[in-house]
Every structure is written in structure tokens, then in C-alpha cells.
């Protein structure tokens, strides 16, 4: 029975990973530009995003496997769950976490920078002339990546040498003290994980909070589209007015612009440029209505128009979910500030839930019937991931106030895609802390595990005394709880980071308040401001689309010319 249950849990995880591959693929193919696609960049981004999401979504597997050893109705371990069996489960989960965290660090710190430099080194002219070989390109990319390798080496050395905190507080439980008794290898991984989460928190605060507020509001209060009748009528009126003014100026000079004054010539040039822009807008409006489109696109446009009311309902549902997440995070943060056993000295570790948390309660109850909790957590994680994507696309990739890249659907360059992937990886690492430690701390630590709170020596189960069944907690000193309760490996990893290096825990704790404040400010702003159509961005996209069409038609024309010339040569050869 135990083997069957364990196999089913891992099978569900395999299915979820397959779904994550699809999600990552859809995201990458949706945002990358069709003109400059690179299979290596695409593959790297898909693997990186899948790996991080798989790390976060290993949590329900962790909770399910550790909780499967106990009976929550009786508050005792199941007959097959000997300490050796429990240790095997924990060891397997620990190995999987080590593998995933190591893979995540490798992809974020080494693989993505290497692929970025490798793509940047590509020179089409040099390749065609034979001046740039594949080996030379790889070597150049490796030379630039050496700096990142040096950073990794420094991280390992610092993590190896930095001493862990010395917790002398008598209130700290034995469970938390054991987390300090780690070897040097664990210390390196713990320090590196804490540093990467800290880096990710800055992106998480800026992008995820913004996207979490903007995403539902975009669905509820969508900006006017190019197919809007008012916008189309305005564009047509502007185009007609523009052409009328051009006719007046051309009539005045009788076809010779040299007869116009310098002011009028500048006006005519401006009118010609504006006319091209208005024609592009008109073409976009026609395409949005399905004119000149394939049957599939027309059917897709009709389908989206039909389900537009559901988009409003979906936006309201997402808004309610995000507000519940926000409330849960706020309640847990207050609980940490008030009831943490040693405050900043151990990174605001919370050993027991003192304030009711609605999301945590939902997870604990759903965890009693696996995989309901898995489905709920997957929705929450993908919502937060999608919010991060929306935040990055809204704000862009910036250095301070300078925008380096703009992330847009179908218009994101490979370089921007790699940077976006690296940012999302760090953001997801921050989510890997926030979800278990703030959104659902009890669920992430013990799940639905309970113990029978009877004095030592009495019956070990509470079959006849249900009121003595209590949820597992790190604070309890009951020997039965220590014998029955098994904390999740996720909670041990994250608690080890915060208690070993309290500085990280303090940063993690206070950053959540900044996240909550930014979310609230952006949400209120989104309520007040009416969304508008970004005509400048629309014109830029239309211009890029026109350039792509011209390049495609030019390439087709060159190909036809080449074929016709080749055909004539072949005919001449045959005739000769």
C-alpha cells in the first residue's frame, strides 16, 4: 500500500512537470520574435523555467510523502511507517531537492550567461566568409562566462567559510537547533540559496507585486483595442484630414515642392510620415476585424469575442484570489512579527500558527485528499508566475530608470528572452520562500499531520478522545509529537537558511511588507486610472510588422529571380 501510494504521488509529479514544460514552451514561443529565433536560446529558456517551477511544485509531493506516514484521524504513525522508512523518504526528497537546486543555480549563474554571450557572438557575415567557426564562437562565449564562474567560486568559498549563527535562546526548539548541525557542503548550498533568494526578492518585490495587481485589472478593465469602433472612426477621420491637407499643399505648389516655403515643406513631410502611420493603424484595425486573415484567424477572433464576458469573470476571480493571497501574507507577516520565538536573532522563524490564515487553512484541508492540494498550489504558483511575466512586460527590463529591453508578445529578442528567463528564475526562487513561509506556512511544514497529545505511557492514539488530536508544530515538547511528526524537506531547507544566516531571514521578512505595500499602491492606481491604448507602442509594432512583411516579400522576390535565372541558364545549357 505504501509503495502504491508513493508511486502515485511521484506519477502526479511527473504529469505536473510535463504540464510545466508545455507552460514554459507556450510562454517562450508566445513572447519571442519570429524573425530572430534561436533553437539553443529557446531550449535553454524552456529548461530553465521548467526546472524552477518544478522545484517550487515539488512542495506538495514533499508534504504528501511526509504526511503519508501518519494518520491524521488517529494522530499516530501508520504501521508500515517505521523510522527507517521515514528516513528513506526524507533522504530521497533531500536528494531530489539538492539536484533541482543545483540545476537551478547552474542554469541561472552559468548556462544562461554562456548562451547569452554565445548568441551575441554570432556574426552572419563572418560565418559566411569563414572567419568565425563554431569552436571560436564557443571559446569567446566561454571567456566572457569566466567572470560568472569566478562569482560561483567566490560564493562557494564564502559559504564554506562564513560561520553560522550561534543560537543560545532557550525558546528555540531542538528541531531548529538540529538545523544548525550541518556539514560544510550543506552550508555552501544554504548560503548560495539564501543569496539567490535575496537577489530574487528585489525582482519579486518590483515585478510580481506589480503584475499581481495589474493582471486582474487588465482583464476587468481592458484598454481600448484597435478593433474599437471609436478608435477606427477617429483613425479614418485623421487620415482623411491628413490627405485633404496634403492635397491643399500640393495644389498650392502644383506638384513642385520647391515652390513651397520651408515651413510648408516641413509640414508636408510631417503629413506624409503621419499618413504612413495612420495607414498602418487602419491596416491593424482591419486585421483585428479579420479582414484579409485566414479562416483559422477569423474563427479565433470570433471565439475570443464570444468568450469576452468570461474574461471579465476570470478577472474578478483572479482579483479575489490575489486579495486572499495578500491578506494571508499580511496575517502571517504580522504573526511572525508578534510571535516569532527569537525575532531577528533567528530570521523571524515562526514555530507555530498564532493567527488564522485562510489560504493556509485551505491547503491543510485539501492536503487530506491528495492531489487536491497539488491542483490548488499549481494554480497559485502559475498565477504568481504569470503575474511576474505581466510585471516584466509592463515595466520592461531596466537599469534604474533606463529601459534596456521591452518584453512584448511576439517582439522579444533572444537577448531579452534570456534576461527575462534569468529574472524569472530568481523571482521564482523568491516565490519558493514566500509560498511556504508566508502564504501557507503550516501546510508547507507539516501539512495535515497531527499527533495524539497524551501523557507518556498512555495509549498512543486518540481513537476515543478526538479532542486530544492536535496539529503538529515545531514548538511542542511532547515526545509523541517528536515521534509522529515529520517536517517537510522544504521547510527544513528554508528554515536552515534563515536560522543559519539570520541576516537573510531578516531581509526575507521585511521585504514582504514592501511587496504588500507596492501591490496595494499599484492596485489602487489601477482602479483610479482608466486604461488607454498605447498608440506609440502600437505604431512601433505596426512598423516592425511592416518591415517583416517587406523583408519576407523581398526574400521571396530574390528567390523567384534566382529560380528564373537558374531556369534560363538550364534552358541555355540544354539548348547548347
Amino acid at each position: 500500500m505504501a509503495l502504491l501510494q508513493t508511486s502515485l504521488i511521484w506519477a502526479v509529479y511527473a504529469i505536473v512537470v510535463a504540464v510545466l514544460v508545455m507552460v514554459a514552451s507556450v510562454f517562450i514561443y508566445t513572447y519571442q520574435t519570429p524573425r530572430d529565433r534561436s533553437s539553443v536560446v529557446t531550449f535553454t529558456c524552456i529548461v530553465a523555467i521548467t526546472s524552477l517551477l518544478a522545484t517550487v511544485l515539488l512542495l506538495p509531493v514533499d508534504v504528501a510523502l511526509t504526511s503519508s506516514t501518519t494518520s491524521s484521524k488517529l494522530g499516530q504513525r501508520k504501521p508500515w511507517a517505521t523510522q527507517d522508512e521515514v528516513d528513506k523518504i526524507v533522504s530521497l526528497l533531500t536528494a531530489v531537492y539538492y539536484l533541482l537546486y543545483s540545476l537551478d543555480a547552474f542554469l541561472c549563474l552559468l548556462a544562461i550567461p554562456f548562451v547569452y554571450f554565445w548568441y551575441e557572438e554570432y556574426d552572419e557575415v563572418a560565418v559566411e566568409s569563414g572567419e568565425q567557426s563554431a569552436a571560436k564562437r564557443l571559446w569567446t562565449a566561454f571567456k566572457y562566462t569566466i567572470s560568472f564562474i569566478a562569482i560561483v567560486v567566490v560564493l562557494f568559498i564564502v559559504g564554506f567559510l562564513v560561520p553560522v549563527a550561534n543560537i543560545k535562546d532557550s525558546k528555540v526548539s531542538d528541531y531548529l537547533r538540529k538545523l544548525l548541525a550541518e556539514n560544510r557542503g550543506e552550508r555552501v548550498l544554504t548560503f548560495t540559496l539564501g543569496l539567490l533568494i535575496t537577489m530574487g526578492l528585489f525582482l519579486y518585490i518590483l515585478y510580481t507585486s506589480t503584475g499581481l495587481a495589474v493582471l486582474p485589472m487588465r482583464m476587468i478593465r481592458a484598454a481600448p483595442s484597435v478593433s474599437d469602433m471609436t478608435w477606427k472612426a477617429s483613425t479614418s477621420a485623421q487620415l482623411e484630414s491628413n490627405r485633404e491637407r496634403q492635397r491643399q499643399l500640393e495644389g498650392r505648389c502644383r506638384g513642385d515642392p520647391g515652390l513651397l516655403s520651408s515651413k510648408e515643406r516641413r509640414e508636408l513631410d510631417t503629413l506624409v510620415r503621419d499618413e504612413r502611420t495612420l495607414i498602418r493603424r487602419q491596416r491593424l484595425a482591419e486585421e483585428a476585424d479579420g479582414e484579409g486573415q485566414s479562416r483559422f484567424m477569423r474563427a479565433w477572433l470570433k471565439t475570443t469575442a464570444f468568450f469576452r464576458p468570461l474574461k471579465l469573470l476570470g478577472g474578478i476571480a483572479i482579483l479575489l484570489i490575489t486579495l486572499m493571497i495578500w491578506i494571508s501574507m499580511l496575517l502571517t507577516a504580522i504573526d511572525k512579527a508578534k510571535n516569532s520565538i527569537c525575532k531577528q536573532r533567528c530570521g523571524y522563524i515562526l514555530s507555530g500558527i498564532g493567527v488564522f490564515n485562510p489560504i493556509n487553512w485551505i491547503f491543510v484541508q485539501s492536503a487530506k485528499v491528495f492531489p487536491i492540494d497539488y491542483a490548488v498550489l499549481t494554480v497559485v504558483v502559475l498565477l504568481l508566475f504569470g503575474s511576474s511575466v505581466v510585471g516584466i512586460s509592463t515595466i520592461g527590463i531596466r537599469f534604474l530608470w533606463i529601459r534596456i529591453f521591452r518584453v512584448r508578445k511576439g517582439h522579444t529578442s533572444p537577448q531579452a528572452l534570456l534576461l527575462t528567463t534569468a529574472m524569472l528564475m530568481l523571482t521564482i526562487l523568491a516565490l519558493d520562500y514566500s509560498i511556504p513561509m508566508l502564504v501557507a506556512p503550516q501546510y508547507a511544514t507539516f501539512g495535515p499531520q497531527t499527533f495524539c497529545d497524551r501523557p507518556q505511557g498512555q495509549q498512543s492514539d486518540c481513537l476515543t478522545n478526538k479532542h486530544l488530536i492536535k496539529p503538529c508544530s515545531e514548538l511542542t515538547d511532547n515526545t509523541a509529537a517528536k515521534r509522529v511528526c515529520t517536517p517537510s524537506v522544504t521547510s527544513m531547507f528554508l528554515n536552515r537558511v534563515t536560522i543559519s544566516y539570520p541576516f537573510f531571514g531578516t531581509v526575507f521578512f521585511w521585504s514582504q511588507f514592501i511587496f504588500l505595500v507596492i501591490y496595494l499602491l499599484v492596485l489602487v492606481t489601477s482602479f483610479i486610472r482608466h486604461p488607454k491604448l498605447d498608440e506609440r507602442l502600437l505604431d512601433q509594432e505596426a512598423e516592425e510588422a511592416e518591415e517583416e512583411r517587406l523583408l519576407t516579400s523581398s526574400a521571396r522576390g530574390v528567390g523567384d529571380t534566382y529560380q528564373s535565372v537558374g531556369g534560363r541558364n538550364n534552358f541555355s545549357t540544354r539548348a547548347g
Side-chain angles (χ1 to χ4, degrees), residues 541-560:
E541 291 181 353
E543 187 175 355
E544 290 176 359
E546 186 175 8
E547 289 177 358
E548 288 182 5
R549 280 196 296 268
L550 290 174
L551 287 172
T552 303
S553 60
S554 299
R556 191 182 298 116
V558 170
D560 293 342

Side-chain angles (χ1 to χ4, degrees), residues 100 187 292 530:
L100 287 175
R187 186 179 299 181
H530 188 74

Side-chain angles (χ1 to χ4, degrees), residues 197-476:
I197 292 176
T198 303
M199 294 168 59
L201 279 171
F202 291 102
L203 302 172
Y204 165 79
I205 289 170
L206 177 62
Y207 292 111
T208 308
S209 61
T210 302
L212 201 62
V214 169
L215 176 61
M217 296 309 300
R218 280 187 179 177
M219 299 175 69
I220 296 172
R221 303 175 63 188
S225 65
V226 293
S227 60
D228 185 71
M229 295 302 297
T230 305
W231 190 81
K232 288 169 62 178
S234 174
T235 302
S236 299
Q238 291 178 46
L239 183 59
E240 183 60 32
S241 175
N242 179 292
R243 287 172 173 170
E244 178 62 29
R245 179 56 181 164
Q246 284 190 62
R247 284 193 290 268
Q248 291 176 2
L249 293 174
E250 289 171 353
R252 188 177 301 174
C253 67
R254 298 177 182 178
D256 185 6
L259 299 177
L260 295 174
S261 64
S262 59
K263 180 180 179 181
E264 289 174 331
R265 283 199 298 271
R266 286 195 300 271
E267 182 184 1
L268 183 61
D269 292 339
T270 303
L271 288 170
V272 171
R273 286 195 301 270
D274 291 344
E275 182 187 21
R276 287 199 294 266
T277 300
L278 292 169
I279 290 173
R280 291 193 201 102
R281 292 182 184 178
Q282 202 171 48
R283 186 183 297 117
L284 283 175
E286 292 172 354
E287 290 176 355
D289 285 338
E291 296 182 18
Q293 299 284 347
S294 63
R295 290 183 179 179
F296 175 78
M297 285 303 300
R298 288 199 297 270
W300 172 254
L301 291 172
K302 290 180 181 179
T303 304
T304 53
F306 178 78
F307 286 105
R308 196 163 293 160
L310 294 180
K311 184 179 179 181
L312 174 62
L313 296 176
I316 295 173
I318 291 176
L319 178 61
L320 294 176
I321 293 172
T322 56
L323 286 174
M324 190 176 294
I325 292 173
W326 187 87
I327 291 171
S328 298
M329 293 177 68
L330 178 63
L331 292 174
T332 305
I334 294 173
D335 196 6
K336 280 176 172 281
K338 183 180 178 181
N339 300 319
S340 177
I341 52 178
C342 48
K343 300 295 190 293
Q344 70 275 7
R345 295 191 302 278
C346 58
Y348 290 93
I349 281 183
L350 188 64
S351 295
I353 303 298
V355 179
F356 176 75
N357 181 330
I359 295 288
N360 182 74
W361 181 84
I362 291 172
F363 274 116
V364 171
Q365 298 304 314
S366 61
K368 296 177 181 178
V369 184
F370 185 85
I372 295 178
D373 61 321
Y374 212 148
V376 176
L377 185 65
T378 302
V379 171
V380 172
V381 169
L382 292 181
L383 172 60
L384 293 171
F385 171 75
S387 300
S388 303
V389 173
V390 170
I392 293 174
S393 64
T394 301
I395 300 173
I397 301 175
R398 295 174 179 266
F399 177 73
L400 299 179
W401 62 89
I402 302 171
R403 176 176 284 160
I404 303 173
F405 290 109
R406 188 188 289 272
V407 179
R408 296 173 293 157
K409 292 181 179 179
H411 296 276
T412 307
S413 65
Q415 298 94 324
L417 204 59
L418 285 166
L419 287 176
T420 301
T421 301
M423 292 166 63
L424 285 172
M425 290 188 74
L426 293 172
T427 304
I428 295 169
L429 274 177
L431 291 177
D432 194 31
Y433 169 82
S434 296
I435 292 174
M437 296 292 106
L438 278 107
V439 178
Q442 173 65 26
Y443 164 78
T445 306
F446 289 105
Q449 293 182 63
T450 59
F451 70 97
C452 182
D453 191 14
R454 280 183 176 274
Q456 190 172 2
Q458 295 188 16
Q459 186 180 357
S460 60
D461 64 68
C462 292
L463 186 61
T464 57
N465 296 283
K466 299 292 185 181
H467 64 281
L468 294 177
I469 296 178
K470 297 181 180 180
C472 291
S473 170
E474 299 100 319
L475 275 180
T476 181

Side-chain angles (χ1 to χ4, degrees), residues 34-48:
R35 188 169 55 184
D36 297 324
R37 282 182 178 173
S38 168
S39 57
V40 176
V41 172
T42 302
F43 177 77
T44 303
C45 293
I46 291 174
V47 171

Side-chain angles (χ1 to χ4, degrees), residues 52-71:
L52 254 299
L53 290 175
T55 305
V56 178
L57 288 174
L58 186 60
L59 173 61
V61 175
D62 188 358
V63 172
L65 288 175
T66 53
S67 300
S68 67
T69 60
T70 64
S71 171

